[in-house]
Structure formats: structure tokens, C-alpha cells
Amino acid sequence: MTFILGLTGGIGSGKSAASAWFESQNITVVDADIVAREVVTPGQNTLVEIQRAFGEWVLQDNGELNRVALREHIFKVPEARKTLEQITHPAIRQSIIQQLQRAHSAYVILVSPLLFETNQHELTDHTLLIDANESLQIQRASQRDGQSVEQIQNIIRVQMPRVNKQALADDVVLNDGHLEHLYQQLMTLHEKYLALAEKKQS
Ligand code: ADP
């Protein structure tokens, strides 16, 4: 099995920017957010299970998941989140494992905003936190997708606090300067990961 790096960070910390850089170095990146969307597309067993657990109303007329209605329901009924996660998390994990196994690059990255929160770090050999202070997170995330400061603060609040992630991660990159500065730090780590990957293979 190839060396697996888990990459995480709070919203707006620079995970996607870091992932794109690693991809430019021919490293395969499996994105847990994309997998989470894939497992609930029409035809997937997970979507059938969600419909069985919650009712017809979770589907739109075209058979796709009604995310807005489900989000509102979860907001109103706290146990519903648990029910939903019990259905989706094992499916997401299974699909992540399959995609990691299919990768052929020198090492492979699992990028996930909830790497530690959902224990996905157990699937990895080593973890890297892309870290930025909260005001930078808010500034970047609001510029990127036009979300309000309150919306971003709400997301930050449900994510694990920075200090906890700093303590758990094997490597931490502080993304508080120019992108070039981020890429320089990543280059140093990339060399290290290539060596670790080689060591794991031998
Ligand atoms: P995440 O994936 O962690 O939510 P992104 O990588 O999408 O965060 O970064 C959020 C936004 O900030 C993006 O528009 C990205 O291009 C920008 N960004 C990230 N790092 C930097 C940086 N060091 N300097 C300037 N802009 C940055």
C-alpha cells in the first residue's frame, strides 16, 4: 500500500490551494468532500438508505437529494444528524479506501476538512495541517464564496479548534503569507513525503 498523507485544515485555511499544488507535483489527491457528494447521488445505495430513514421528502422530483430540506431538518432535530452520519460515514469511508487503493502516484493524499473529527486520519500514515488564523480564514472564505462572516464563523465553530488540530497533526504549515510562501513550505514537505513513501515501500 502506498504512503498516505492526510491533509486537513479549517475552512479557508488553504487546503484546496495546497491540494492543487501537490497535484501539480503529480500526487493523486482524494477529496473527502467530493466523495461525500458522490455517495448520495441517485443510484447509490446510501441515497436509498437516507430515503428509508427519513422519508420521500428528502428526494427532489428529479430523484436527487434535497440538501436544503435535509439541512433544515437536521438543524431542527439534532438526533437526525447522528442518523444521517451513521448512514453516510461508513459509505464515505469505504469509497475513500477504494480510491486511495487505486492511486498510482509516489504517495497519495486524502484531503478532508474533518480528517480528525471523523477519524479519517486512521486511514493515513501521516498528517499535515494547513493552518491560518481565524481572521484570515474568514477573509479568504468570504472572498472565495461570498458567504457571510456569520456563516463562516458557524462553520468554524463546529470544526475542531485549531489548537487541538495543531496538537494532533504530524506537520503544520502556517499559511499566513503569500501563496509562494505556502508553496515553498510544501516543497520541503513534499521531499520528506517522497522519502517516507520510499521507506514504506522498501
Ligand atoms: P480551504 O480549501 O481550506 O477552504 P482554499 O484553499 O480554498 O481553502 O483557500 C481559500 C481562498 O483563499 C481561496 O480563494 C484561495 O485561493 C485563497 N488563498 C489560500 N491561501 C492563500 C494565500 N496564502 N494567499 C492568498 N490567498 C490565499
Side-chain angles (χ1 to χ4, degrees), residues 9-18 140-141 144 175-179 182:
I11 179 170
S13 60
K15 284 181 304 296
S16 306
R140 288 178 185 153
R144 183 191 54 196
N175 181 22
D176 63 351
H178 292 294
L179 279 170
L182 171 69

Side-chain angles (χ1 to χ4, degrees), residues 157-192:
R157 212 168 296 132
V158 300
Q159 295 182 334
M160 186 184 281
R162 275 177 75 197
V163 283
N164 298 23
K165 284 190 274 209
Q166 287 163 354
L168 288 169
D170 296 309
D171 295 316
V172 180
V173 161
L174 193 56
N175 181 22
D176 63 351
H178 292 294
L179 279 170
E180 270 316 309
H181 180 60
L182 171 69
Y183 300 154
Q184 273 167 14
Q185 297 182 80
L186 295 180
M187 180 54 96
T188 307
L189 288 171
H190 177 56
E191 304 284 344
K192 171 170 142 178

Side-chain angles (χ1 to χ4, degrees), residues 118-131:
T118 59
N119 292 325
Q120 285 167 349
H121 69 284
E122 293 166 1
L123 304 173
T124 70
D125 296 294
H126 199 91
T127 54
L128 166 61
L129 173 68
I130 308 295
D131 196 24

Side-chain angles (χ1 to χ4, degrees), residues 52-172:
R52 277 203 199 118
F54 293 93
E56 278 299 329
W57 62 266
V58 293
L59 299 184
Q60 306 177 65
D61 291 343
N62 63 7
E64 284 180 17
L65 184 64
N66 189 337
R67 289 171 183 283
V68 177
L70 189 56
R71 203 178 301 133
E72 281 170 8
H73 178 69
I74 281 169
F75 193 71
K76 279 186 290 201
V77 188
E79 313 86 72
R81 177 186 293 277
K82 273 219 175 84
T83 307
L84 180 66
E85 288 179 347
Q86 276 164 6
I87 297 170
T88 56
H89 283 182
I92 293 168
R93 204 180 177 89
Q94 202 48 47
S95 178
I96 285 173
I97 292 169
Q98 280 171 1
Q99 293 190 31
L100 289 171
Q101 283 172 345
R102 274 204 297 269
H104 290 297
S105 50
Y107 61 94
V108 51
I109 292 178
L110 168 61
V111 57
S112 174
L114 302 174
L115 189 77
F116 295 120
E117 289 90 332
T118 59
N119 292 325
Q120 285 167 349
H121 69 284
E122 293 166 1
L123 304 173
T124 70
D125 296 294
H126 199 91
T127 54
L128 166 61
L129 173 68
I130 308 295
D131 196 24
N133 67 50
E134 190 170 318
S135 59
L136 268 179
Q137 284 183 271
I138 291 169
Q139 186 190 322
R140 288 178 185 153
S142 61
Q143 266 171 18
R144 183 191 54 196
D145 29 54
Q147 292 193 83
S148 70
V149 172
E150 290 73 38
Q151 279 171 320
I152 297 161
Q153 276 170 335
N154 283 339
I155 294 171
I156 291 174
R157 212 168 296 132
V158 300
Q159 295 182 334
M160 186 184 281
R162 275 177 75 197
V163 283
N164 298 23
K165 284 190 274 209
Q166 287 163 354
L168 288 169
D170 296 309
D171 295 316
V172 180

